[in-house]
Amino acid sequence: MKALVDLIEASHHLDDDQLRVLLTTTDAVVVDYLHERARAVAQAHFGTGVFVRGLIELTNVCRNDCLYCGIRRSNHHVARYTLTTDQVMECCESGYTLGFRTFVLQGGEWGDERADWIAGIISEMRRRWPDCAITLSLGEHSREVYDLWRECGADRYLLRHETHNADHYASLHPAEMSHDQRMQCLQWLKELGYQTGTGIMVGSPGQTVDHLIEDLQFIREFRPEMVGLGPFIAQHDTPLGNHPNGTIDMTTRLYSLVRLMLPSALIPSTTALATLSPDGRLQGILAGANVVMPNLSPADYRDQYALYDGKAHTGSEAAEGLQQLAAQLATIGYHIDWSRGDYRKNLAP
Ligand code: 5AD
């Protein structure tokens, strides 16, 4: 089975049955080897540096009603908030002082009616911090809106496809959302020149190994610059609140497989993984991830951005915990890389 790991490292590709073997094997020696090779490939491209992105949770107001998500519109147990433009600028200001050179504006999805307001925020950020990358994670919009935001200076866009299987997608989302529209949005983002990120929740309700294979083949073909993968974690006020969480094991296998398929991809070790275990973040990096996204949102609002239960946001998850993050990384021989960390193809020889 180790030969399959060598094969995906060399060819960046496995067929469905070969992927199935690596996704389901219970042989710890093989899984360790998978992580070891993914880590080696990540180090060949990025050394032992980990890029950081300052995450700003702009709003928990959302028009969507995704069945897994704590900020879905039918959840009446969340107090809704939207940061003001000034608050966003204060987040960036303190983030910049801390050393961040990428800001990620993430939020619930609004209709295009607020697009101009967000465009104004992006323009202002671009003007005040011309050396920083601006990443958006604001859901599905029209091509025109994506174009407008790109023109204002946004560089990157994160839009997880969540699952590539249309039936599975339909089982996790309200009827007005569709897998086809998601794919259309991802296509537009690419065409408009965004560094584009996609990805999935691992262990989401109804997910099978076949779905994961489909997701991996899609990711390989789509060639996103960024791949966000985190375990599903139940949120008690959602219809899927009783479903078991995804696992660290499956999430880190996927990090390694994606690393070997797309060697120069930017792969965050996600907050959801850190939520499952105090050393989840490090396990992710040791499996080939190379980005972390500490939270820059004002402390008073963090509890309200409750996508899932127990979401980590203290200690090294908070921007103030950067020293703690650096110390944690040092225990495995890694350090924070403070550069913008743009996608660069084939960094290694
Ligand atoms: N568990 C894990 N991840 C979740 N997300 C939303 N709800 C949950 C949950 N219950 C993820 C989705 C979305 C991202 C912003 O947060 O994948 O794309």
Side-chain angles (χ1 to χ4, degrees):
M1 268 190 276
K2 278 182 163 184
L4 288 179
V5 177
D6 294 333
L7 181 61
I8 189 173
E9 181 180 351
S11 66
H12 314 302
H13 178 251
L14 288 180
D15 68 27
D16 291 359
D17 289 332
Q18 292 168 325
L19 283 175
R20 190 187 319 279
V21 171
L22 292 181
L23 287 169
T24 56
T25 180
T26 52
D27 185 340
V29 174
V30 175
V31 177
D32 284 349
Y33 185 63
L34 173 67
H35 294 326
E36 188 185 311
R37 291 318 308 157
R39 186 157 77 233
V41 167
Q43 287 186 12
H45 285 77
F46 308 100
T48 50
V50 175
F51 297 123
V52 287
R53 321 299 198 190
L55 181 65
I56 301 166
E57 291 158 341
L58 181 66
T59 178
N60 67 355
V61 177
C62 191
R63 66 174 169 185
N64 272 337
D65 217 19
C66 307
L67 276 75
Y68 45 82
C69 184
I71 65 168
R72 65 201 303 265
R73 69 161 186 265
S74 324
N75 183 5
H76 300 295
H77 299 282
V78 234
R80 303 288 168 166
Y81 76 90
T82 300
L83 300 183
T84 63
T85 305
D86 285 350
Q87 283 173 318
V88 174
M89 297 308 146
E90 284 159 25
C91 291
C92 295
E93 185 90 58
S94 60
Y96 192 88
T97 308
L98 287 163
F100 287 95
R101 293 298 177 267
T102 292
F103 300 120
V104 182
L105 273 188
Q106 186 174 85
E109 196 176 294
W110 294 351
D112 287 350
E113 71 278 358
R114 301 299 295 272
D116 289 334
W117 175 66
I118 291 171
I121 292 183
I122 298 166
S123 302
E124 179 75 0
M125 286 169 69
R126 178 48 65 236
R127 189 183 65 75
R128 290 181 59 179
W129 296 283
D131 54 333
C132 291
I134 300 171
T135 304
L136 305 178
S137 175
L138 299 167
E140 294 182 12
H141 293 277
S142 63
R143 194 182 201 281
E144 290 67 34
V145 167
Y146 288 149
D147 191 20
L148 168 71
W149 291 345
R150 177 99 182 98
E151 289 298 315
C152 291
D155 305 284
R156 311 180 186 145
Y157 205 105
L158 305 172
L159 183 69
R160 290 187 181 171
H161 65 284
E162 312 294 0
T163 171
H164 193 261
N165 181 278
D167 291 335
H168 187 220
Y169 190 93
S171 75
L172 295 172
H173 296 96
E176 64 270 22
M177 290 180 74
S178 80
H179 166 267
D180 285 356
Q181 188 57 27
R182 200 67 152 194
M183 292 296 129
Q184 176 63 263
C185 287
L186 284 167
Q187 204 52 51
W188 286 333
L189 291 165
K190 256 206 159 170
E191 286 166 17
L192 291 166
Y194 283 98
Q195 292 174 48
T196 305
T198 193
I200 65 166
M201 282 178 299
V202 182
S204 59
Q207 185 178 68
T208 63
V209 173
D210 283 325
H211 294 152
L212 292 173
I213 293 168
E214 215 176 311
D215 287 317
L216 284 168
Q217 301 295 25
F218 164 69
I219 288 170
R220 184 181 54 77
E221 283 159 28
F222 184 69
R223 310 198 75 75
E225 284 81 11
M226 304 170 286
V227 183
L229 306 165
F232 163 80
I233 300 179
Q235 204 285 347
H236 64 279
D237 286 322
T238 63
L240 301 174
N242 291 322
H243 194 274
N245 294 339
T247 65
I248 295 187
D249 171 44
M250 190 53 92
T251 306
T252 51
R253 281 187 208 212
L254 291 170
Y255 285 179
S256 296
L257 291 167
V258 171
R259 171 61 65 211
L260 295 172
M261 291 190 312
L262 301 174
S264 24
L266 298 158
I267 305 176
S269 188
T270 51
T271 303
L273 190 59
T275 299
L276 286 187
S277 158
D279 71 345
R281 171 91 68 222
L282 297 183
Q283 290 195 52
I285 289 162
L286 292 173
N290 71 319
V291 174
V292 298
M293 298 170 64
N295 199 323
L296 281 179
S297 308
D300 316 349
Y301 297 103
R302 288 184 196 170
D303 280 344
Q304 285 155 250
Y305 201 79
L307 303 181
Y308 45 82
D309 289 341
K311 184 160 160 275
H313 58 61
T314 53
S316 58
E317 190 51 46
E320 311 84 73
L322 277 174
Q323 274 185 332
Q324 201 181 321
L325 173 64
Q328 236 194 349
L329 291 176
T331 65
I332 55 167
Y334 282 69
H335 61 273
I336 294 175
D337 181 330
W338 287 105
S339 63
R340 259 175 66 129
D342 282 295
Y343 177 80
R344 286 159 63 201
K345 207 165 171 256
N346 299 328
L347 291 169

